[in-house]
Amino acid sequence: MHTWESITGPGSIDDLVADAHAAGYPDMTARRIHDWIAKGLLGPPRLRTRRRGSDKAEHSADQRRLLLLLLDKRQQVAHLNTLAQVPLALWLWWDGYVSTRQAQRAWVTWVGRGRRSQEVAREGALGLLEQVGHQLATETARARFVRVITELGTGKTLTVRGRAELLDAVRDVMEPESVFAASGLVRALGPAQAPVTVDAVVTRVEALCAALGRTLDGKVDDALLERARAVYRASTADYLAQRGDLAAGAGQLAGLFCEPPLQEQFDQAARQLLFTLGMHLLHRRMRPRP
């Protein structure tokens, strides 16, 4: 069996096909590898030139290993869009494995459009509802919340009217009128240092809308993506330094601050980058002009 450790140097596209076949994936072809390069799952090869003629372009040893990782992960996912999370995670966490050019292509592939985006957006809406929904929120309020968040999660533009509906939908599930109308209290979940309020949830959704809209408009270039990565790395370092204190004061949301398994970190990397990019765009939008 061909393994990660057995790859020690660069290779041509023929070598990548041979790597896949030796690892037990006979369906991998040169044409499919070219398709994966176009989608950012793999990076483009480096051209080699000689004094006379040219050699076949080479893929780095890291890209050859990435192919084996992708082939293994492909057994667990249904769409290539989901597979794009793998190179994105490598680019987000470490330097040298995946270029920003490749990451930008993988980013567009991951965001995607159509049915897959609808499924992912609904899954995210349900997950958010589970985190912030009050036990006495009505089924009507819950259904409206999921509908609104799902629509925005598939790239719907957030208008002024749409933001008002979003605010109402979030408030109805977080602060049901039957509980909070008379008291006038504001519900805050999680640690005191970073409370999850209605406004905080709305801002999070606004950030996701901003990042999705910019991506679907084809306006997330290499520079913007690299800036989002820098912000992500800095904020992650701060978070890890405070995670213990945050978990101690998080109450029912303490589970959110546990260290997830590596597989889950891979699966969440792109979503975290999407949120970070969105927050960066919102802050830049609100920054006063000189």
Side-chain angles (χ1 to χ4, degrees), residues 44-78:
R46 178 177 59 86
L47 295 177
R48 295 187 298 163
T49 59
R50 297 184 299 185
R51 188 169 296 177
R52 292 183 180 179
S54 62
D55 289 324
K56 287 187 176 181
E58 280 189 334
H59 296 265
S60 68
D62 287 332
Q63 288 292 320
R64 292 177 67 185
R65 297 185 186 110
L66 174 57
L67 173 61
L68 296 185
L69 185 60
L70 290 167
L71 290 169
D72 180 64
K73 179 68 174 176
R74 187 178 59 162
Q75 310 306 306
Q76 307 164 30
V77 301

Side-chain angles (χ1 to χ4, degrees), residues 2 12-34 59 64 67-68 71:
H2 206 47
S12 67
I13 192 168
D14 293 335
D15 293 319
L16 265 68
V17 173
D19 291 341
H21 291 182
Y25 302 97
D27 63 330
M28 181 54 63
T29 63
R31 181 176 181 178
R32 178 166 289 174
I33 287 175
H34 283 302
H59 296 265
R64 292 177 67 185
L67 173 61
L68 296 185
L71 290 169

Side-chain angles (χ1 to χ4, degrees), residues 242-256:
Q242 303 174 41
R243 183 169 61 186
D245 292 338
L246 291 171
Q252 70 184 67
L253 297 183
L256 296 179

Side-chain angles (χ1 to χ4, degrees), residues 121-187:
R122 180 173 173 78
E123 179 184 333
L126 290 170
L128 184 59
L129 176 62
E130 184 178 350
Q131 291 175 13
V132 305
H134 192 281
Q135 60 183 358
L136 295 181
T138 66
E139 288 303 314
T140 299
R142 291 172 182 273
R144 180 192 186 197
F145 177 92
V146 171
R147 175 184 60 78
V148 170
I149 302 296
T150 299
E151 288 177 352
L152 294 172
T154 55
K156 180 180 179 181
T157 301
L158 185 61
T159 61
V160 173
R161 182 175 180 179
R163 190 186 188 283
E165 183 182 21
L166 170 64
L167 180 61
D168 285 344
V170 174
R171 181 173 287 121
D172 283 349
V173 298
M174 285 193 69
E175 300 174 353
E177 191 172 335
S178 61
V179 180
F180 289 85
S183 66
L185 296 175
V186 173
R187 187 174 179 221

